[in-house]
Structures are given as C-alpha cells and as structure tokens.
PDB file of all heavy atoms in Angstrom:
ATOM      1  N   ALA A   1       3.542   3.589  10.390  1.00 95.00           N
ATOM      2  CA  ALA A   1       3.618   3.455  11.859  1.00 95.00           C
ATOM      3  C   ALA A   1       4.981   3.748  12.299  1.00 95.00           C
ATOM      4  O   ALA A   1       5.210   4.046  13.522  1.00 95.00           O
ATOM      5  CB  ALA A   1       3.100   2.200  12.400  1.00 95.00           C
ATOM      6  N   SER A   2       6.053   3.448  11.406  1.00 93.00           N
ATOM      7  CA  SER A   2       7.333   3.843  11.861  1.00 93.00           C
ATOM      8  C   SER A   2       7.570   5.353  12.160  1.00 93.00           C
ATOM      9  O   SER A   2       8.608   5.729  12.884  1.00 93.00           O
ATOM     10  CB  SER A   2       8.398   3.343  10.735  1.00 93.00           C
ATOM     11  OG  SER A   2       8.270   4.224   9.553  1.00 93.00           O
ATOM     12  N   LEU A   3       6.735   6.267  11.594  1.00 89.00           N
ATOM     13  CA  LEU A   3       6.861   7.692  11.867  1.00 89.00           C
ATOM     14  C   LEU A   3       8.004   8.286  11.169  1.00 89.00           C
ATOM     15  O   LEU A   3       8.320   9.364  11.565  1.00 89.00           O
ATOM     16  CB  LEU A   3       6.693   8.005  13.257  1.00 89.00           C
ATOM     17  CG  LEU A   3       5.396   7.657  14.009  1.00 89.00           C
ATOM     18  CD1 LEU A   3       5.411   7.906  15.390  1.00 89.00           C
ATOM     19  CD2 LEU A   3       4.169   8.073  13.304  1.00 89.00           C
ATOM     20  N   GLY A   4       8.598   7.618  10.237  1.00 89.00           N
ATOM     21  CA  GLY A   4       9.801   8.205   9.446  1.00 89.00           C
ATOM     22  C   GLY A   4       9.200   8.653   8.128  1.00 89.00           C
ATOM     23  O   GLY A   4       8.532   7.839   7.460  1.00 89.00           O
ATOM     24  N   PRO A   5       9.539   9.903   7.698  1.00 88.00           N
ATOM     25  CA  PRO A   5       8.952  10.314   6.442  1.00 88.00           C
ATOM     26  C   PRO A   5       9.232   9.497   5.253  1.00 88.00           C
ATOM     27  O   PRO A   5       8.261   9.353   4.418  1.00 88.00           O
ATOM     28  CB  PRO A   5       9.597  11.759   6.303  1.00 88.00           C
ATOM     29  CG  PRO A   5       9.873  12.187   7.721  1.00 88.00           C
ATOM     30  CD  PRO A   5      10.217  10.898   8.443  1.00 88.00           C
ATOM     31  N   PHE A   6      10.388   9.033   5.060  1.00 91.00           N
ATOM     32  CA  PHE A   6      10.811   8.132   3.904  1.00 91.00           C
ATOM     33  C   PHE A   6       9.907   6.784   3.937  1.00 91.00           C
ATOM     34  O   PHE A   6       9.324   6.389   2.874  1.00 91.00           O
ATOM     35  CB  PHE A   6      12.201   7.872   3.835  1.00 91.00           C
ATOM     36  CG  PHE A   6      12.632   6.954   2.620  1.00 91.00           C
ATOM     37  CD1 PHE A   6      12.491   7.439   1.339  1.00 91.00           C
ATOM     38  CD2 PHE A   6      12.933   5.638   3.001  1.00 91.00           C
ATOM     39  CE1 PHE A   6      12.920   6.595   0.360  1.00 91.00           C
ATOM     40  CE2 PHE A   6      13.336   4.765   1.949  1.00 91.00           C
ATOM     41  CZ  PHE A   6      13.169   5.254   0.597  1.00 91.00           C
ATOM     42  N   LEU A   7       9.868   6.205   5.120  1.00 94.00           N
ATOM     43  CA  LEU A   7       9.215   4.943   5.278  1.00 94.00           C
ATOM     44  C   LEU A   7       7.698   5.232   5.063  1.00 94.00           C
ATOM     45  O   LEU A   7       6.981   4.301   4.574  1.00 94.00           O
ATOM     46  CB  LEU A   7       9.466   4.284   6.658  1.00 94.00           C
ATOM     47  CG  LEU A   7      10.872   3.687   6.607  1.00 94.00           C
ATOM     48  CD1 LEU A   7      11.089   3.033   8.053  1.00 94.00           C
ATOM     49  CD2 LEU A   7      11.138   2.612   5.623  1.00 94.00           C
ATOM     50  N   ALA A   8       7.192   6.304   5.575  1.00 93.00           N
ATOM     51  CA  ALA A   8       5.801   6.703   5.387  1.00 93.00           C
ATOM     52  C   ALA A   8       5.350   6.812   3.942  1.00 93.00           C
ATOM     53  O   ALA A   8       4.376   6.397   3.562  1.00 93.00           O
ATOM     54  CB  ALA A   8       5.444   7.945   6.268  1.00 93.00           C
ATOM     55  N   ALA A   9       6.280   7.448   3.228  1.00 93.00           N
ATOM     56  CA  ALA A   9       6.059   7.644   1.697  1.00 93.00           C
ATOM     57  C   ALA A   9       6.003   6.221   1.125  1.00 93.00           C
ATOM     58  O   ALA A   9       4.979   5.904   0.268  1.00 93.00           O
ATOM     59  CB  ALA A   9       7.136   8.392   0.996  1.00 93.00           C
ATOM     60  N   LEU A  10       6.930   5.243   1.530  1.00 96.00           N
ATOM     61  CA  LEU A  10       6.850   3.841   0.874  1.00 96.00           C
ATOM     62  C   LEU A  10       5.533   3.106   1.376  1.00 96.00           C
ATOM     63  O   LEU A  10       4.924   2.407   0.581  1.00 96.00           O
ATOM     64  CB  LEU A  10       8.041   3.094   1.451  1.00 96.00           C
ATOM     65  CG  LEU A  10       9.351   3.578   0.917  1.00 96.00           C
ATOM     66  CD1 LEU A  10      10.544   2.671   1.521  1.00 96.00           C
ATOM     67  CD2 LEU A  10       9.421   3.372  -0.624  1.00 96.00           C
ATOM     68  N   GLY A  11       5.164   3.607   2.641  1.00 96.00           N
ATOM     69  CA  GLY A  11       3.864   3.012   3.077  1.00 96.00           C
ATOM     70  C   GLY A  11       2.740   3.428   2.285  1.00 96.00           C
ATOM     71  O   GLY A  11       1.795   2.617   2.120  1.00 96.00           O
ATOM     72  N   ALA A  12       2.552   4.664   1.927  1.00 96.00           N
ATOM     73  CA  ALA A  12       1.590   5.172   0.988  1.00 96.00           C
ATOM     74  C   ALA A  12       1.542   4.405  -0.288  1.00 96.00           C
ATOM     75  O   ALA A  12       0.451   3.977  -0.755  1.00 96.00           O
ATOM     76  CB  ALA A  12       1.648   6.527   0.857  1.00 96.00           C
ATOM     77  N   ILE A  13       2.686   4.068  -0.811  1.00 97.00           N
ATOM     78  CA  ILE A  13       2.754   3.348  -2.119  1.00 97.00           C
ATOM     79  C   ILE A  13       2.247   1.874  -1.882  1.00 97.00           C
ATOM     80  O   ILE A  13       1.459   1.366  -2.683  1.00 97.00           O
ATOM     81  CB  ILE A  13       4.183   3.332  -2.615  1.00 97.00           C
ATOM     82  CG1 ILE A  13       4.603   4.792  -3.020  1.00 97.00           C
ATOM     83  CG2 ILE A  13       4.316   2.405  -3.875  1.00 97.00           C
ATOM     84  CD1 ILE A  13       6.106   4.819  -3.349  1.00 97.00           C
ATOM     85  N   ALA A  14       2.710   1.231  -0.836  1.00 97.00           N
ATOM     86  CA  ALA A  14       2.124  -0.054  -0.448  1.00 97.00           C
ATOM     87  C   ALA A  14       0.779  -0.049  -0.312  1.00 97.00           C
ATOM     88  O   ALA A  14       0.026  -1.223  -0.729  1.00 97.00           O
ATOM     89  CB  ALA A  14       3.006  -0.575   0.711  1.00 97.00           C
ATOM     90  N   LEU A  15       0.181   0.794   0.438  1.00 97.00           N
ATOM     91  CA  LEU A  15      -1.357   0.831   0.558  1.00 97.00           C
ATOM     92  C   LEU A  15      -2.006   0.989  -0.688  1.00 97.00           C
ATOM     93  O   LEU A  15      -3.058   0.360  -0.846  1.00 97.00           O
ATOM     94  CB  LEU A  15      -1.679   2.118   1.555  1.00 97.00           C
ATOM     95  CG  LEU A  15      -1.594   1.831   2.987  1.00 97.00           C
ATOM     96  CD1 LEU A  15      -1.639   2.967   3.846  1.00 97.00           C
ATOM     97  CD2 LEU A  15      -2.740   0.871   3.514  1.00 97.00           C
ATOM     98  N   GLY A  16      -1.523   1.840  -1.522  1.00 95.00           N
ATOM     99  CA  GLY A  16      -2.135   1.982  -2.813  1.00 95.00           C
ATOM    100  C   GLY A  16      -2.080   0.793  -3.691  1.00 95.00           C
ATOM    101  O   GLY A  16      -3.043   0.341  -4.215  1.00 95.00           O
ATOM    102  N   ILE A  17      -0.930   0.033  -3.657  1.00 96.00           N
ATOM    103  CA  ILE A  17      -0.883  -1.215  -4.441  1.00 96.00           C
ATOM    104  C   ILE A  17      -1.783  -2.239  -3.985  1.00 96.00           C
ATOM    105  O   ILE A  17      -2.448  -2.984  -4.661  1.00 96.00           O
ATOM    106  CB  ILE A  17       0.689  -1.837  -4.263  1.00 96.00           C
ATOM    107  CG1 ILE A  17       1.611  -0.865  -5.056  1.00 96.00           C
ATOM    108  CG2 ILE A  17       0.777  -3.120  -4.783  1.00 96.00           C
ATOM    109  CD1 ILE A  17       3.120  -1.156  -4.869  1.00 96.00           C
ATOM    110  N   GLY A  18      -1.939  -2.175  -2.574  1.00 96.00           N
ATOM    111  CA  GLY A  18      -2.920  -3.139  -2.027  1.00 96.00           C
ATOM    112  C   GLY A  18      -4.391  -2.883  -2.340  1.00 96.00           C
ATOM    113  O   GLY A  18      -5.241  -3.696  -2.513  1.00 96.00           O
ATOM    114  N   TYR A  19      -4.663  -1.562  -2.250  1.00 95.00           N
ATOM    115  CA  TYR A  19      -6.083  -1.116  -2.330  1.00 95.00           C
ATOM    116  C   TYR A  19      -6.587  -1.255  -3.800  1.00 95.00           C
ATOM    117  O   TYR A  19      -7.801  -1.597  -4.010  1.00 95.00           O
ATOM    118  CB  TYR A  19      -6.219   0.374  -2.011  1.00 95.00           C
ATOM    119  CG  TYR A  19      -7.692   0.852  -1.735  1.00 95.00           C
ATOM    120  CD1 TYR A  19      -8.522   0.373  -0.692  1.00 95.00           C
ATOM    121  CD2 TYR A  19      -8.195   1.674  -2.672  1.00 95.00           C
ATOM    122  CE1 TYR A  19      -9.746   0.736  -0.491  1.00 95.00           C
ATOM    123  CE2 TYR A  19      -9.567   2.030  -2.475  1.00 95.00           C
ATOM    124  CZ  TYR A  19     -10.360   1.606  -1.487  1.00 95.00           C
ATOM    125  OH  TYR A  19     -11.670   2.009  -1.224  1.00 95.00           O
ATOM    126  N   GLY A  20      -5.769  -1.036  -4.798  1.00 91.00           N
ATOM    127  CA  GLY A  20      -6.311  -1.075  -6.205  1.00 91.00           C
ATOM    128  C   GLY A  20      -7.067  -2.256  -6.574  1.00 91.00           C
ATOM    129  O   GLY A  20      -8.016  -2.367  -7.290  1.00 91.00           O
ATOM    130  N   PRO A  21      -6.455  -3.484  -6.356  1.00 92.00           N
ATOM    131  CA  PRO A  21      -7.104  -4.764  -6.830  1.00 92.00           C
ATOM    132  C   PRO A  21      -8.332  -5.189  -6.124  1.00 92.00           C
ATOM    133  O   PRO A  21      -9.018  -6.040  -6.685  1.00 92.00           O
ATOM    134  CB  PRO A  21      -5.967  -5.834  -6.683  1.00 92.00           C
ATOM    135  CG  PRO A  21      -4.705  -5.062  -6.447  1.00 92.00           C
ATOM    136  CD  PRO A  21      -5.133  -3.874  -5.744  1.00 92.00           C
ATOM    137  N   ILE A  22      -8.720  -4.516  -4.963  1.00 92.00           N
ATOM    138  CA  ILE A  22      -9.793  -5.064  -4.136  1.00 92.00           C
ATOM    139  C   ILE A  22     -11.164  -4.995  -4.841  1.00 92.00           C
ATOM    140  O   ILE A  22     -11.871  -6.008  -4.949  1.00 92.00           O
ATOM    141  CB  ILE A  22      -9.816  -4.253  -2.876  1.00 92.00           C
ATOM    142  CG1 ILE A  22      -8.646  -4.561  -1.919  1.00 92.00           C
ATOM    143  CG2 ILE A  22     -11.208  -4.660  -2.021  1.00 92.00           C
ATOM    144  CD1 ILE A  22      -8.412  -5.836  -1.397  1.00 92.00           C
ATOM    145  N   THR A  23     -11.473  -3.952  -5.516  1.00 86.00           N
ATOM    146  CA  THR A  23     -12.788  -3.756  -6.093  1.00 86.00           C
ATOM    147  C   THR A  23     -12.832  -4.558  -7.403  1.00 86.00           C
ATOM    148  O   THR A  23     -13.903  -5.247  -7.606  1.00 86.00           O
ATOM    149  CB  THR A  23     -13.084  -2.224  -6.386  1.00 86.00           C
ATOM    150  OG1 THR A  23     -13.189  -1.568  -5.176  1.00 86.00           O
ATOM    151  CG2 THR A  23     -14.397  -2.210  -7.106  1.00 86.00           C
ATOM    152  N   PRO A  24     -11.940  -4.636  -8.329  1.00 86.00           N
ATOM    153  CA  PRO A  24     -12.040  -5.519  -9.394  1.00 86.00           C
ATOM    154  C   PRO A  24     -12.159  -7.037  -9.010  1.00 86.00           C
ATOM    155  O   PRO A  24     -12.836  -7.759  -9.734  1.00 86.00           O
ATOM    156  CB  PRO A  24     -10.657  -5.326 -10.200  1.00 86.00           C
ATOM    157  CG  PRO A  24     -10.166  -3.943  -9.786  1.00 86.00           C
ATOM    158  CD  PRO A  24     -10.635  -3.813  -8.404  1.00 86.00           C
ATOM    159  N   ALA A  25     -11.415  -7.377  -7.983  1.00 89.00           N
ATOM    160  CA  ALA A  25     -11.594  -8.710  -7.541  1.00 89.00           C
ATOM    161  C   ALA A  25     -12.992  -9.098  -7.024  1.00 89.00           C
ATOM    162  O   ALA A  25     -13.535 -10.197  -7.317  1.00 89.00           O
ATOM    163  CB  ALA A  25     -10.488  -9.091  -6.516  1.00 89.00           C
ATOM    164  N   SER A  26     -13.524  -8.230  -6.280  1.00 86.00           N
ATOM    165  CA  SER A  26     -14.867  -8.416  -5.709  1.00 86.00           C
ATOM    166  C   SER A  26     -15.985  -8.300  -6.752  1.00 86.00           C
ATOM    167  O   SER A  26     -16.966  -9.065  -6.836  1.00 86.00           O
ATOM    168  CB  SER A  26     -15.226  -7.469  -4.660  1.00 86.00           C
ATOM    169  OG  SER A  26     -15.209  -6.042  -5.054  1.00 86.00           O
ATOM    170  N   SER A  27     -15.696  -7.483  -7.751  1.00 81.00           N
ATOM    171  CA  SER A  27     -16.673  -7.380  -8.901  1.00 81.00           C
ATOM    172  C   SER A  27     -16.598  -8.659  -9.670  1.00 81.00           C
ATOM    173  O   SER A  27     -17.762  -9.140 -10.166  1.00 81.00           O
ATOM    174  CB  SER A  27     -16.291  -6.196  -9.760  1.00 81.00           C
ATOM    175  OG  SER A  27     -16.470  -5.045  -9.224  1.00 81.00           O
ATOM    176  N   ASP A  28     -15.558  -9.238  -9.875  1.00 83.00           N
ATOM    177  CA  ASP A  28     -15.479 -10.496 -10.559  1.00 83.00           C
ATOM    178  C   ASP A  28     -16.254 -11.557  -9.849  1.00 83.00           C
ATOM    179  O   ASP A  28     -17.024 -12.299 -10.502  1.00 83.00           O
ATOM    180  CB  ASP A  28     -14.012 -10.949 -10.715  1.00 83.00           C
ATOM    181  CG  ASP A  28     -13.783 -12.354 -11.353  1.00 83.00           C
ATOM    182  OD1 ASP A  28     -14.189 -12.418 -12.525  1.00 83.00           O
ATOM    183  OD2 ASP A  28     -13.527 -13.363 -10.626  1.00 83.00           O
ATOM    184  N   ILE A  29     -16.116 -11.730  -8.554  1.00 83.00           N
ATOM    185  CA  ILE A  29     -16.867 -12.714  -7.769  1.00 83.00           C
ATOM    186  C   ILE A  29     -18.350 -12.405  -7.820  1.00 83.00           C
ATOM    187  O   ILE A  29     -19.051 -13.439  -8.027  1.00 83.00           O
ATOM    188  CB  ILE A  29     -16.387 -12.611  -6.297  1.00 83.00           C
ATOM    189  CG1 ILE A  29     -14.829 -13.140  -6.120  1.00 83.00           C
ATOM    190  CG2 ILE A  29     -17.272 -13.494  -5.365  1.00 83.00           C
ATOM    191  CD1 ILE A  29     -14.217 -12.896  -4.752  1.00 83.00           C
ATOM    192  N   LEU A  30     -18.836 -11.232  -7.581  1.00 81.00           N
ATOM    193  CA  LEU A  30     -20.169 -10.846  -7.496  1.00 81.00           C
ATOM    194  C   LEU A  30     -20.856 -11.143  -8.949  1.00 81.00           C
ATOM    195  O   LEU A  30     -21.984 -11.528  -9.004  1.00 81.00           O
ATOM    196  CB  LEU A  30     -20.427  -9.617  -6.977  1.00 81.00           C
ATOM    197  CG  LEU A  30     -19.991  -9.300  -5.557  1.00 81.00           C
ATOM    198  CD1 LEU A  30     -20.342  -7.975  -4.973  1.00 81.00           C
ATOM    199  CD2 LEU A  30     -20.722 -10.270  -4.636  1.00 81.00           C
ATOM    200  N   ALA A  31     -20.136 -10.649  -9.928  1.00 77.00           N
ATOM    201  CA  ALA A  31     -20.742 -10.750 -11.324  1.00 77.00           C
ATOM    202  C   ALA A  31     -20.975 -12.253 -11.704  1.00 77.00           C
ATOM    203  O   ALA A  31     -21.886 -12.514 -12.405  1.00 77.00           O
ATOM    204  CB  ALA A  31     -19.819 -10.068 -12.331  1.00 77.00           C
ATOM    205  N   ARG A  32     -20.137 -13.110 -11.076  1.00 80.00           N
ATOM    206  CA  ARG A  32     -20.423 -14.591 -11.395  1.00 80.00           C
ATOM    207  C   ARG A  32     -21.399 -15.206 -10.456  1.00 80.00           C
ATOM    208  O   ARG A  32     -21.838 -16.294 -10.758  1.00 80.00           O
ATOM    209  CB  ARG A  32     -19.035 -15.402 -11.196  1.00 80.00           C
ATOM    210  CG  ARG A  32     -18.079 -14.944 -12.378  1.00 80.00           C
ATOM    211  CD  ARG A  32     -16.778 -15.789 -12.250  1.00 80.00           C
ATOM    212  NE  ARG A  32     -15.813 -15.500 -11.236  1.00 80.00           N
ATOM    213  CZ  ARG A  32     -15.612 -16.213 -10.214  1.00 80.00           C
ATOM    214  NH1 ARG A  32     -16.169 -17.297 -10.014  1.00 80.00           N
ATOM    215  NH2 ARG A  32     -14.801 -15.699  -9.226  1.00 80.00           N
ATOM    216  N   THR A  33     -21.730 -14.555  -9.456  1.00 75.00           N
ATOM    217  CA  THR A  33     -22.585 -15.130  -8.412  1.00 75.00           C
ATOM    218  C   THR A  33     -23.887 -14.557  -8.123  1.00 75.00           C
ATOM    219  O   THR A  33     -24.769 -14.979  -7.271  1.00 75.00           O
ATOM    220  CB  THR A  33     -21.817 -15.404  -6.999  1.00 75.00           C
ATOM    221  OG1 THR A  33     -21.435 -14.136  -6.568  1.00 75.00           O
ATOM    222  CG2 THR A  33     -20.609 -16.268  -7.235  1.00 75.00           C
ATOM    223  N   THR A  34     -24.249 -13.451  -8.857  1.00 77.00           N
ATOM    224  CA  THR A  34     -25.382 -12.652  -8.711  1.00 77.00           C
ATOM    225  C   THR A  34     -26.336 -12.655  -9.783  1.00 77.00           C
ATOM    226  O   THR A  34     -25.801 -12.278 -10.893  1.00 77.00           O
ATOM    227  CB  THR A  34     -24.940 -11.151  -8.270  1.00 77.00           C
ATOM    228  OG1 THR A  34     -24.065 -11.188  -7.113  1.00 77.00           O
ATOM    229  CG2 THR A  34     -26.167 -10.246  -7.897  1.00 77.00           C
ATOM    230  N   PRO A  35     -27.599 -12.822  -9.680  1.00 76.00           N
ATOM    231  CA  PRO A  35     -28.538 -12.613 -10.737  1.00 76.00           C
ATOM    232  C   PRO A  35     -28.441 -11.235 -11.256  1.00 76.00           C
ATOM    233  O   PRO A  35     -28.339 -10.136 -10.484  1.00 76.00           O
ATOM    234  CB  PRO A  35     -29.807 -12.907 -10.252  1.00 76.00           C
ATOM    235  CG  PRO A  35     -29.557 -13.766  -8.946  1.00 76.00           C
ATOM    236  CD  PRO A  35     -28.329 -13.310  -8.505  1.00 76.00           C
ATOM    237  N   ALA A  36     -28.636 -10.972 -12.610  1.00 69.00           N
ATOM    238  CA  ALA A  36     -28.428  -9.642 -13.202  1.00 69.00           C
ATOM    239  C   ALA A  36     -29.387  -8.619 -12.639  1.00 69.00           C
ATOM    240  O   ALA A  36     -29.095  -7.504 -12.626  1.00 69.00           O
ATOM    241  CB  ALA A  36     -28.501  -9.867 -14.763  1.00 69.00           C
ATOM    242  N   ASP A  37     -30.568  -9.094 -12.375  1.00 70.00           N
ATOM    243  CA  ASP A  37     -31.680  -8.163 -11.856  1.00 70.00           C
ATOM    244  C   ASP A  37     -31.482  -7.722 -10.498  1.00 70.00           C
ATOM    245  O   ASP A  37     -32.262  -6.859  -9.998  1.00 70.00           O
ATOM    246  CB  ASP A  37     -33.003  -8.777 -12.029  1.00 70.00           C
ATOM    247  CG  ASP A  37     -33.316  -9.994 -11.163  1.00 70.00           C
ATOM    248  OD1 ASP A  37     -32.350 -10.512 -10.725  1.00 70.00           O
ATOM    249  OD2 ASP A  37     -34.410 -10.451 -11.102  1.00 70.00           O
ATOM    250  N   ARG A  38     -30.434  -8.207  -9.780  1.00 75.00           N
ATOM    251  CA  ARG A  38     -30.092  -7.798  -8.467  1.00 75.00           C
ATOM    252  C   ARG A  38     -28.708  -7.182  -8.385  1.00 75.00           C
ATOM    253  O   ARG A  38     -28.232  -6.850  -7.238  1.00 75.00           O
ATOM    254  CB  ARG A  38     -30.192  -9.051  -7.499  1.00 75.00           C
ATOM    255  CG  ARG A  38     -31.440  -9.729  -7.362  1.00 75.00           C
ATOM    256  CD  ARG A  38     -31.456 -10.929  -6.547  1.00 75.00           C
ATOM    257  NE  ARG A  38     -30.982 -10.536  -5.104  1.00 75.00           N
ATOM    258  CZ  ARG A  38     -30.189 -11.361  -4.270  1.00 75.00           C
ATOM    259  NH1 ARG A  38     -29.808 -12.623  -4.770  1.00 75.00           N
ATOM    260  NH2 ARG A  38     -29.773 -11.088  -3.113  1.00 75.00           N
ATOM    261  N   TYR A  39     -28.071  -6.841  -9.460  1.00 71.00           N
ATOM    262  CA  TYR A  39     -26.776  -6.236  -9.499  1.00 71.00           C
ATOM    263  C   TYR A  39     -26.666  -5.050  -8.760  1.00 71.00           C
ATOM    264  O   TYR A  39     -25.775  -4.860  -7.779  1.00 71.00           O
ATOM    265  CB  TYR A  39     -26.446  -5.948 -11.007  1.00 71.00           C
ATOM    266  CG  TYR A  39     -25.572  -7.090 -11.658  1.00 71.00           C
ATOM    267  CD1 TYR A  39     -25.681  -8.351 -11.155  1.00 71.00           C
ATOM    268  CD2 TYR A  39     -24.915  -6.758 -12.846  1.00 71.00           C
ATOM    269  CE1 TYR A  39     -24.917  -9.342 -11.783  1.00 71.00           C
ATOM    270  CE2 TYR A  39     -24.349  -7.643 -13.494  1.00 71.00           C
ATOM    271  CZ  TYR A  39     -24.225  -9.027 -13.103  1.00 71.00           C
ATOM    272  OH  TYR A  39     -23.574 -10.082 -13.624  1.00 71.00           O
ATOM    273  N   ALA A  40     -27.507  -4.038  -8.939  1.00 70.00           N
ATOM    274  CA  ALA A  40     -27.307  -2.718  -8.211  1.00 70.00           C
ATOM    275  C   ALA A  40     -27.435  -2.903  -6.720  1.00 70.00           C
ATOM    276  O   ALA A  40     -26.648  -2.299  -6.023  1.00 70.00           O
ATOM    277  CB  ALA A  40     -28.409  -1.723  -8.688  1.00 70.00           C
ATOM    278  N   LEU A  41     -28.407  -3.740  -6.269  1.00 74.00           N
ATOM    279  CA  LEU A  41     -28.611  -3.799  -4.794  1.00 74.00           C
ATOM    280  C   LEU A  41     -27.389  -4.586  -4.111  1.00 74.00           C
ATOM    281  O   LEU A  41     -26.759  -4.133  -3.244  1.00 74.00           O
ATOM    282  CB  LEU A  41     -29.840  -4.443  -4.465  1.00 74.00           C
ATOM    283  CG  LEU A  41     -30.066  -4.657  -2.958  1.00 74.00           C
ATOM    284  CD1 LEU A  41     -30.142  -3.383  -2.330  1.00 74.00           C
ATOM    285  CD2 LEU A  41     -31.564  -5.499  -2.805  1.00 74.00           C
ATOM    286  N   VAL A  42     -27.054  -5.718  -4.879  1.00 79.00           N
ATOM    287  CA  VAL A  42     -25.931  -6.497  -4.295  1.00 79.00           C
ATOM    288  C   VAL A  42     -24.499  -5.845  -4.356  1.00 79.00           C
ATOM    289  O   VAL A  42     -23.826  -5.842  -3.398  1.00 79.00           O
ATOM    290  CB  VAL A  42     -25.811  -7.915  -5.000  1.00 79.00           C
ATOM    291  CG1 VAL A  42     -24.609  -8.675  -4.707  1.00 79.00           C
ATOM    292  CG2 VAL A  42     -27.113  -8.728  -4.695  1.00 79.00           C
TER     293      VAL A  42
END
C-alpha cells in the first residue's frame, strides 16, 4: 500500500510467508476433528 516498488517487493515476500502456513495448520485441525468418512466434504 506504500506504492513504493522496493517496499511492494518486500510486501510480496511477507504475504507469501504468511500464506504458506495457513493450509497445513487448518489441515492439522480438521484431520484431528473430522471423521474419516467425511474428509472430502469437510
């Protein structure tokens, strides 16, 4: 949002660092709390 090319590049890196763990974390939660026969739907 600073609209500076260098800071925007750093922002892209920060967004990637943040986005990467989201799915593994949620998969860990759902694998522990969901019956196996409902995996695909949940």
